[in-house]
Amino acid sequence: MQRALTSALRLTRPWRPLQACGYASHGTARDPEIQVRSLAGPDQGITEILMNRPRARNALGNVLVSELLEALAQLRADRQVRVLIFRSGVKGVFCAGADLKEREQMSEVEVGVFVQRLRGLMNEIAAFPTPTIAAMDGFALGGGLELALACDLRVAASSAVMGLIETTRGLLPGAGGTQRLPRCLGVALAKELIFTGRRLSGAQAQALGLVNHSVAQNEEGNAAYHRARELAQEILPQASIAVRLGKVAIDRGMEVDIASGMAIEGMCYAQNIPTRDRLEGMAAFREKRPPRFVGE
C-alpha cells in the first residue's frame, strides 16, 4: 500500500488557488488561505482542500471562511469530484477554531453575523453531495472540530488533540457542535465533553467513536492525511451515484423516525434503479468480473 501511495503522489495535479484572487483590507493582493488540488492517475476523483494559514494556526477568520465557501460552491458543480478531503498545510495543526483575535475587533452585531456565516459553512460541508473526509494531523479545537464533525468521515493522528473547548473561553459551540456531537456520540457523552471542554487525543477519540480511524503520527506529520487518502481510494471504485444517494438516505433518514427514514431510503433506491451503473453492477456479478462504473 505504501509503494502504491508513493507512486500515486507523483500523479497529482498542482495545487491551485481559488479562481477569484483575495485582497487584504488595504487593497493589496494577498496569498490565498486555502488551496484546491484534484488528484490524477489512480486517484482521479479525489479532491483536496488544503487550509494554509500558518500564522493563525488555520483559525477560521472571515477570509478563510469566505474562501472555503467559494471553493465548496465551485466543487459542488464538478461531477469529477468523487471524494473531498479537508487537510492542513500547517504542521501540527488541523484548525485551531474560530479566530478570536479577529472576533475581538467585532461588535456584537458583527459577531452574530460572523457566527451565522460559520454555521452556514459547516452546513455546506455537511450537505456536500459526495463523501467528505477530515484528515486531522494536529490540533482540531472548537470550530476546527466542528468542521471535522461536518464531514462524513474523520481520520486522526493518535497524537492529534481535539475538543469543543468553547466553555473554557466563556462561549458555547456555535457552528453546529451542540447538534452534531450528540448525533455522533450520544447525548450524555456529548454533554460531558461540551460542559467540561475536555480535550481528547486521536486514540481517545477513536475509542469513543468520534473518529473512524486513528493512526500513529509519522516524521512528516501527515499520517492522518495518508490514511484519509487510503480511505478515499476505497470509495473511488464504487458506483458514484449509489454512494451519493446512500449519503442522502443516511443523512436525511437520521433526522426523522424510522418509518419516514425507510420511505426516504425507498425514494433514493428508486432513483438508483434506472442508472447504467446498477445494470453494470448486476452484469459484472453475473459475469464474475469487476464492475466498470461510469457514473451514469
Side-chain angles (χ1 to χ4, degrees), residues 189-221:
L189 185 52
K191 285 181 176 179
E192 180 177 337
L193 294 177
I194 291 173
F195 294 170
T196 62
R198 185 179 303 151
R199 302 183 182 205
L200 304 171
S201 68
Q204 290 172 322
Q206 184 185 25
L208 294 178
L210 180 56
V211 301
N212 297 78
H213 303 277
S214 174
V215 292
Q217 189 56 282
N218 57 25
E219 291 184 5
E220 293 77 18

Side-chain angles (χ1 to χ4, degrees), residues 8-243:
L9 283 169
R10 303 191 191 102
L11 296 169
T12 60
R13 297 170 185 169
W15 292 106
R16 65 181 190 273
L18 293 176
Q19 291 179 3
C21 181
Y23 291 88
S25 58
H26 48 72
T28 58
R30 57 162 180 78
D31 293 331
E33 295 184 357
I34 71 166
Q35 293 172 302
V36 179
R37 180 173 67 170
S38 298
L39 306 191
D43 286 342
Q44 184 174 351
I46 300 174
T47 296
E48 301 172 354
I49 291 180
L50 179 133
M51 297 177 287
N52 192 27
R53 195 185 178 204
R55 292 184 180 179
R57 295 160 60 86
N58 288 343
L60 294 163
N62 268 309
V63 172
L64 182 55
V65 169
S66 294
E67 291 187 0
L68 286 169
L69 283 167
E70 183 179 349
L72 289 167
Q74 293 179 13
L75 294 172
R76 174 183 286 273
D78 187 348
R79 299 292 292 185
Q80 301 303 311
V81 178
R82 300 278 304 281
V83 184
L84 181 61
I85 297 176
F86 288 84
R87 57 178 298 207
S88 171
V90 182
K91 190 172 183 178
V93 177
F94 175 70
C95 174
D99 190 335
L100 297 184
K101 290 183 179 179
E102 185 177 283
R103 189 178 293 184
E104 281 182 341
Q105 309 304 315
M106 298 179 184
S107 67
E108 289 186 7
V109 172
E110 290 171 331
V111 169
V113 171
F114 174 74
V115 173
Q116 186 65 34
R117 288 185 70 236
L118 197 58
R119 192 177 300 120
L121 168 64
M122 306 312 174
N123 289 340
E124 287 296 318
I125 294 172
F128 196 76
T130 60
T132 53
I133 307 175
M136 294 181 283
D137 273 304
F139 284 90
L141 302 173
L145 180 54
E146 288 178 306
L147 192 157
L149 282 167
C151 293
D152 298 305
L153 307 172
R154 288 164 290 282
V155 179
S158 56
S159 58
V161 178
M162 64 197 73
L164 296 181
I165 63 169
E166 285 86 348
T167 56
T168 70
R169 303 289 188 267
L171 303 166
L172 73 153
T178 65
Q179 302 306 304
R180 292 192 173 95
L181 191 64
R183 286 167 168 78
C184 179
L185 299 181
V187 172
L189 185 52
K191 285 181 176 179
E192 180 177 337
L193 294 177
I194 291 173
F195 294 170
T196 62
R198 185 179 303 151
R199 302 183 182 205
L200 304 171
S201 68
Q204 290 172 322
Q206 184 185 25
L208 294 178
L210 180 56
V211 301
N212 297 78
H213 303 277
S214 174
V215 292
Q217 189 56 282
N218 57 25
E219 291 184 5
E220 293 77 18
N222 60 3
Y225 163 64
H226 283 296
R227 184 65 186 92
R229 189 158 166 171
E230 291 175 0
L231 187 55
Q233 289 167 342
E234 291 186 65
I235 297 171
L236 281 183
Q238 317 315 324
S240 60
I241 296 176
V243 169

